[in-house]
Amino acid sequence: MTKALFVVSECAPLVKTGGLADVAGALPLALAAHDVQVRVLLPGYRNVMKQIGKTKPVATFDDLFGGAAKLLACTVAGLDLLILDAPHLYDRDGSIYGDATGADWPDNAERFAALCKTAAAIAVDGVDGWTPDIVHGHDWQAGLTPEYMIDAGAKAPFVFTIHNIAFHGNVGADKLGALGLDPARFTSDHFEFWGQISALKAGLAGATKINTVSQTYAEELLTPEFGIGMDGILRARQSDVSGIVNGIDLAAWDPATDPNIKPYQTPAGKTANKKALRKTFGLGASNGPLCVLVSRLTEQKGIDLLLDALPALLARGGQLALLGSGDPRLEVALLEAADRHENLSVKIGYDEALSHQMMAGGDVILVPSRFEPCGLTQLYGLRYGTLPLVALTGGLADTVINASPAALARRVATGIQFFPITAQALENAFVRLTDLFSDKKTWKAMQSNAMKQPVGWETSAVRYKDIYDSVLGTGQ
Ligand code: ADP
Ligand code: GLC
């Protein structure tokens, strides 16, 4: 039995802003089947504290970055959780990363340093008679963990997973004292990054092994375009960097049993869901493909490209139902476009049940991202027979088989990819899409291929186990 401590800032079903939460909620369960026991260390945000029910106090801290804190053990949805209850850091209105206006909390560095410091304490002293063999951090919020592990004298290896390198968690060097970091290691081979403290860099420098969430993104990260300043350190550590594609929770995303939809097992079952979805979004009948998009609305996701290319889809009878929230400028631009086009309907907000209905009722899931470490919605789409139309990048390149003449001839295509990632190429992809959609026989064959593609965690969980074995020296 291998014992691993996940250090992570979100975890489904308790708290989620994006795919990181899905991974933190599903991978531990998949690893359990491979003799790995995972405990997930998670901040006790106000909304998390409301949901966890019965807990067991397992440690106390008199002063954790400005206040007293407790560590609470509990089990939720089959996950073994360690909740860091530190009200001065986490008991707030607003979102988990910022206030109601969308601005980051000014003390985010301390808020997540507290999580990392607690992880280091657990690595040394254990909790509840349980000491991890491995500490596994995710994204910059867990990045300072190896620094505190050095200070605490922890011996366990640290594995670091990059879900999105765009977020560095940088703060000014004046926070060295407040964060309790050793000034002697404020150097470029530890956590110094262009004169600042970088939590992400600390994680990359201190990790025994680094991985990211798809093979293509692992290669992209080594280039200046995608590495966003971290490509140098990643190239220096190239032999320790790997890509492991994410899976999805096959129980939560199963068209045959999904309680949010009219369940189905073959593409024909989508018709009733499509009708219901059109009604929900106030869209009329049309012979073109009904596209859906579910996303955070940020620069990364290529929403501006979509707005430019959309007329090409609508002119060919296509429709788009979009659900998302984020950048207020993108929200306004989408709502304005929806006023102009009767076949575009936009809902601003976050709605888990509706996202399932969209996967069931759509013909096509759009993911026009400028970069995408893995992406999960195209995987949901595959399972629901909702064919992905995606940018050729990161995990979108690795999980979708483009409907090229060769793939169509071999009957293996599952979607459409476009490149370069421009509005013009997306427009061209919409033309290909509407042509393909009108060829009903080919479309149905692609749907059947898509629904058969394995998109669960099985293969990838084994690869994480292999990393654990290699850092512990227990592999064969
Ligand atoms: P990222 O992590 O970059 O946001 P992913 O595709 O990996 O992208 O994961 C996004 C997750 O968040 C998916 O589970 C998606 O369904 C969900 N999601 C994003 N926006 C919304 C929304 N507005 N309503 C419901 N679910 C959403
Ligand atoms: C990040 C990435 C996304 C990935 C998710 C889970 O948020 O943007 O591509 O699927 O993490 O790893």
Side-chain angles (χ1 to χ4, degrees):
M1 164 82 74
T2 304
K3 289 173 285 174
L5 177 70
F6 270 31
V7 188
V8 68
S9 60
E10 23 185 299
C11 183
L14 286 176
V15 53
K16 165 169 165 177
T17 71
L20 173 61
D22 292 283
V23 174
L27 180 55
L29 304 177
L31 281 167
H34 298 281
D35 213 27
V36 179
Q37 186 189 38
V38 178
R39 294 185 94 168
V40 181
L41 174 63
L42 184 71
Y45 308 110
R46 180 178 289 180
N47 198 32
V48 165
M49 297 307 293
K50 279 191 195 143
Q51 296 174 72
I52 50 181
K54 199 167 146 37
T55 61
K56 175 179 173 190
V58 288
T60 53
F61 307 95
D62 294 339
D63 182 6
L64 189 67
F65 295 96
K70 288 194 291 270
L71 196 57
L72 306 171
C74 59
T75 308
V76 175
L79 297 163
D80 274 332
L81 301 171
L82 293 166
I83 305 290
L84 182 57
D85 179 17
H88 60 296
L89 301 173
Y90 307 130
D91 184 19
R92 303 177 181 183
D93 280 336
S95 89
I96 60 175
Y97 302 125
D99 63 20
T101 72
D104 283 352
W105 294 114
D107 59 346
N108 269 350
E110 288 86 348
R111 294 173 76 232
F112 295 108
L115 192 72
C116 299
K117 200 156 184 179
T118 304
I122 297 171
V124 177
D125 300 327
V127 275
D128 213 7
W130 185 91
T131 306
D133 303 310
I134 287 177
V135 180
H136 184 166
H138 299 264
D139 273 356
W140 75 264
Q141 295 88 351
L144 291 175
T145 306
E147 284 300 320
Y148 296 126
M149 285 174 73
I150 296 173
D151 294 334
K155 297 282 175 288
F158 179 73
V159 172
F160 194 42
T161 300
I162 305 166
H163 296 263
N164 195 332
I165 208 146
F167 303 102
H168 289 185
N170 292 349
V171 280
D174 55 326
K175 287 248 184 187
L176 269 175
L179 297 176
L181 293 167
D182 185 344
R185 295 200 298 274
F186 185 58
T187 57
S188 67
D189 51 353
H190 281 273
F191 56 86
E192 185 272 343
F193 183 70
W194 298 100
Q196 290 198 301
I197 298 167
S198 169
L200 182 74
K201 175 133 183 227
L204 297 176
T208 311
K209 291 278 181 197
I210 299 164
N211 83 290
T212 186
V213 290
S214 70
Q215 180 59 38
T216 294
Y217 193 58
E219 289 162 21
E220 289 170 342
L221 281 180
L222 305 176
T223 68
E225 187 191 348
F226 289 93
I228 319 188
M230 296 295 169
D231 45 298
I233 175 167
L234 285 165
R235 280 195 301 276
R237 302 218 44 198
Q238 195 166 345
S239 58
D240 294 321
V241 179
S242 62
I244 306 178
V245 73
N246 287 333
I248 60 170
D249 180 339
L250 295 179
W253 291 94
D254 182 352
T257 57
D258 192 330
N260 304 290
I261 66 167
K262 297 184 177 64
Y264 59 93
Q265 291 180 7
T266 63
K270 291 178 68 66
T271 312
N273 287 291
K274 183 167 170 176
K275 205 168 154 210
L277 186 63
R278 279 208 173 109
K279 198 159 167 224
T280 305
F281 274 87
L283 291 166
S286 169
N287 289 331
L290 172 57
C291 299
V292 296
L293 187 151
V294 180
S295 184
R296 292 184 292 118
L297 302 177
T298 66
E299 163 91 15
Q300 172 190 347
K301 302 293 180 178
I303 303 299
D304 51 327
L305 305 179
L306 175 64
L307 280 167
D308 287 347
L310 196 60
L313 173 71
L314 302 180
R316 284 167 181 77
Q319 297 176 305
L320 173 60
L322 185 148
L323 168 66
S325 60
D327 183 338
R329 278 166 313 175
L330 289 171
E331 292 183 353
V332 170
L334 283 166
L335 290 169
E336 282 176 2
D339 280 343
R340 287 195 304 274
H341 300 292
E342 63 172 320
N343 278 326
L344 166 64
S345 178
V346 171
K347 288 192 191 289
I348 299 298
Y350 188 96
D351 188 334
E352 194 75 31
L354 182 57
S355 73
H356 285 247
Q357 288 151 17
M358 292 170 76
M359 291 303 155
D363 295 306
V364 177
I365 169 84
L366 299 182
V367 197
S369 307
R370 289 199 163 79
F371 69 95
E372 196 60 75
C374 180
L376 298 179
T377 61
Q378 83 280 11
L379 300 178
Y380 305 149
L382 290 168
R383 188 130 206 258
Y384 281 63
T386 306
L387 301 186
L389 188 161
V390 302
L392 183 67
T393 187
L396 304 174
D398 296 357
T399 55
V400 175
I401 303 176
N402 182 42
S404 65
L408 286 171
R410 282 187 288 127
R411 298 177 199 285
V412 293
T414 58
I416 292 179
Q417 290 166 325
F418 67 94
F419 191 82
I421 306 174
T422 60
Q424 180 61 57
L426 179 53
E427 248 185 70
N428 298 343
F430 281 143
V431 175
R432 285 163 60 207
L433 167 66
T434 44
D435 287 349
L436 259 181
F437 186 72
S438 56
D439 175 355
K440 291 297 168 214
K441 204 169 145 215
T442 304
W443 189 264
K444 242 177 118 183
M446 285 176 67
Q447 285 181 309
S448 308
N449 289 343
M451 290 178 80
K452 279 188 256 159
Q453 184 170 322
V455 287
W457 272 105
E458 190 43 43
T459 312
S460 295
V462 173
R463 299 220 29 224
Y464 276 99
K465 173 70 158 72
D466 288 344
I467 291 189
Y468 293 172
D469 285 344
S470 78
V471 296
L472 291 172
T474 52
Q476 302 96 14

